[in-house]
Amino acid sequence: MNRRLPLTPVTTSRPAIGTHLSGYTTLRLGGPAARFIEATSAREVVDAVCAADAAGEPLLVLGGGSNVLVADKGFDGTVVHIASKGVGMDSTSGSVQLTAEAGESWDSVVEQTVRAGLGGIECLSGIPGLVGATPVQNVGAYGVEVSEVLVSVDLLDRASGEVRTLTADQLGLAYRTSVLKGTDRAVVLRVRFQLADSGLSAPIRYAELANTLGVAPGERVPVAHVRQSVLDLRRGKGMVLDPDDHDTWSAGSFFTNPVLPEPHLTEALARIRAQVGPDVRIPQYPGGKLSAAWLIERAGFPKGHPGPGNRVALSHSHTLALTNRGDGTTDDLLSLAREVRDGVDQVFGVELAAEPVLVGCSM
C-alpha cells in the first residue's frame, strides 16, 4: 500500500543548533549536531525528513539512541529525533492487534501489554530504545524475536516520498536484521503486532529463563511473572538502564553472536577445542550460531576488562556490553571494541561484528 503525503512546512519547533548527541544515546557518547529537530508525530517526521532530503542535507534519524555510536566530532547535518507518541489496541477473536508509533518507548509498550494481559513480547522486557527500531534489527531476547508477532510497519520511502505499509514477510527478517537495517532508504513511522489475550506468555524456550521461573521449556506462564523475571535477569547483567550505574551506560550487546556456515563452523569449532581443551563444552545454537560472550571471555577479556585510561570498559556484569565509565569518548570505546574483536579473531579465528549503527566512525 503506497500513498504520497504532500510536503508541508515542518511543524516542529525551530531546529536547535549544536545540540550534543551524547544526551540522546544510552552510551552518553557523541558530539554535536549541526541541526537538531524534535519530531513529535509521524507527520512531523515525514515533513522534517523530506525537507532535509529536498535540501540535499546529510540526515540522521535518531530514535532512542540505544543501538547507535556517534563520532566524537558529531554529525554535520540535520538530526531528526523521533518522538512520536500513541498506542492503540484492536481486539479480534482470541488476539489483539497493537499499533504503536515509532517514538514510543519500547519497554513502556511492553509494560502496557503485560498490564492488559497480552502475551507475546513479555520476554522482550527491559530492552531500551523505541518501537520504531524493533523491526529494523528484529529485536530479540530470551528465546523470542519481534518477527514472531510483527504484523506490518508503516514507513516513509525517502526516494519516492511515499508512506508505505509493508507486511512482516516483506521485511526479510532474520537474526538481528531485516531489509531495513544498514540502509537509510526508509524511516519507520509506526509498527503493528499481533498478541494473544490469554494472559499467558509465549512458550518459554530459553533455558536460563525457564530455570528462573521454575518451569520446563515450552510451558506458558502468566505474562507478569515472565516480565519480572526477565527484568531481574537483565538487571543482573547490567542490561537495564540506570543513570547512576555506569555498567548500564552501554548500547546493550555490542557484538552479535557469530553465525558460521559450514565448513567454517567445523573449522572454527576445531580451533576452539584446540584452545580450550576437548572436555570444555562450547555453547552452540541452531543455525551455526556461537556465543560471542563466551568467546570473548575465553579469549582473555573478562568482565570489567578496561579500555584506554579506564574511561571505558567491558561491563562488570556482562562481557558483551562495552560501557562508558563516565568520561569516555567514542574513540576510547572503538579502541576497546577493536581490541576485543581482534583478540577473539587471533585466538579462535572467529570475527565478531558490531551490532550498533556507527555514525561518522568505523571499527
Side-chain angles (χ1 to χ4, degrees), residues 197-246:
D197 65 359
S198 63
L200 297 178
S201 69
I204 303 299
R205 305 189 189 107
Y206 203 79
E208 182 184 26
L209 179 58
N211 290 337
T212 299
L213 290 164
V215 301
E219 289 190 34
R220 297 176 184 268
V221 181
V223 289
H225 295 175
V226 175
R227 174 172 168 78
Q228 188 57 56
S229 293
V230 168
L231 290 174
D232 290 344
L233 287 169
R234 291 182 66 86
R235 287 192 185 97
K237 300 174 182 178
M239 293 293 190
V240 176
L241 295 179
D242 180 346
D244 298 321
D245 183 0
H246 288 160

Side-chain angles (χ1 to χ4, degrees), residues 143-165:
V144 171
E145 292 185 338
V146 161
S147 58
E148 299 170 43
V149 294
L150 185 66
V151 175
S152 64
V153 301
D154 290 348
L155 53 78
L156 169 66
D157 184 324
R158 292 177 61 185
S160 67
E162 295 175 333
V163 174
R164 304 173 58 197
T165 299

Side-chain angles (χ1 to χ4, degrees), residues 74-311:
F75 185 74
D76 187 19
T78 296
V79 173
V80 176
H81 183 230
I82 297 182
S84 51
K85 304 297 180 184
V87 177
M89 300 184 189
D90 295 318
S91 297
T92 58
S93 178
S95 66
V96 171
Q97 184 173 112
L98 176 125
T99 302
E101 295 298 302
E104 283 284 349
S105 160
W106 171 252
D107 191 54
S108 294
V109 170
V110 176
E111 183 180 23
Q112 289 182 55
T113 67
V114 169
R115 286 203 308 265
L118 304 179
I121 56 176
E122 57 286 334
C123 286
L124 305 181
S125 293
I127 295 176
L130 305 184
V131 166
T134 60
V136 176
Q137 61 191 70
N138 188 20
V139 164
Y142 294 100
V144 171
E145 292 185 338
V146 161
S147 58
E148 299 170 43
V149 294
L150 185 66
V151 175
S152 64
V153 301
D154 290 348
L155 53 78
L156 169 66
D157 184 324
R158 292 177 61 185
S160 67
E162 295 175 333
V163 174
R164 304 173 58 197
T165 299
L166 296 185
T167 60
D169 59 7
Q170 294 175 298
L171 293 174
L173 297 162
Y175 173 65
R176 301 299 177 271
T177 193
S178 71
V179 297
L180 302 175
K181 187 171 181 178
T183 177
D184 58 3
R185 293 175 299 180
V187 179
V188 175
L189 302 174
R190 65 182 57 85
V191 189
R192 299 175 188 85
F193 307 93
Q194 199 73 29
L195 307 175
D197 65 359
S198 63
L200 297 178
S201 69
I204 303 299
R205 305 189 189 107
Y206 203 79
E208 182 184 26
L209 179 58
N211 290 337
T212 299
L213 290 164
V215 301
E219 289 190 34
R220 297 176 184 268
V221 181
V223 289
H225 295 175
V226 175
R227 174 172 168 78
Q228 188 57 56
S229 293
V230 168
L231 290 174
D232 290 344
L233 287 169
R234 291 182 66 86
R235 287 192 185 97
K237 300 174 182 178
M239 293 293 190
V240 176
L241 295 179
D242 180 346
D244 298 321
D245 183 0
H246 288 160
D247 248 15
T248 72
W249 288 28
S250 75
S253 297
F254 193 89
F255 296 104
T256 58
N257 290 323
V259 179
L260 305 180
E262 291 290 358
H264 301 296
L265 177 62
T266 299
E267 295 170 357
L269 290 173
R271 183 165 174 174
I272 294 169
R273 289 192 185 96
Q275 291 289 333
V276 303
D279 298 327
V280 175
R281 188 185 72 84
I282 303 171
Q284 297 180 60
Y285 308 97
K289 187 191 303 181
L290 301 177
S291 169
W294 189 90
L295 292 170
I296 290 169
E297 291 196 37
R298 298 319 184 278
F301 302 99
K303 296 172 184 175
H305 177 82
N310 292 312
R311 295 181 296 272

Side-chain angles (χ1 to χ4, degrees), residues 13-71:
S13 57
R14 179 175 298 178
I17 306 299
T19 298
H20 214 273
L21 297 179
S22 61
Y24 292 86
T25 71
T26 55
L27 273 163
R28 273 76 166 180
L29 296 176
R35 287 165 296 283
F36 185 91
I37 297 174
E38 187 97 348
T40 60
S41 69
R43 174 75 269 174
E44 290 183 355
V45 173
V46 171
D47 287 348
V49 170
C50 288
D53 286 345
E57 296 179 4
L59 176 68
L60 171 63
V61 179
L62 185 63
S66 61
N67 197 49
V68 64
L69 178 60
V70 180

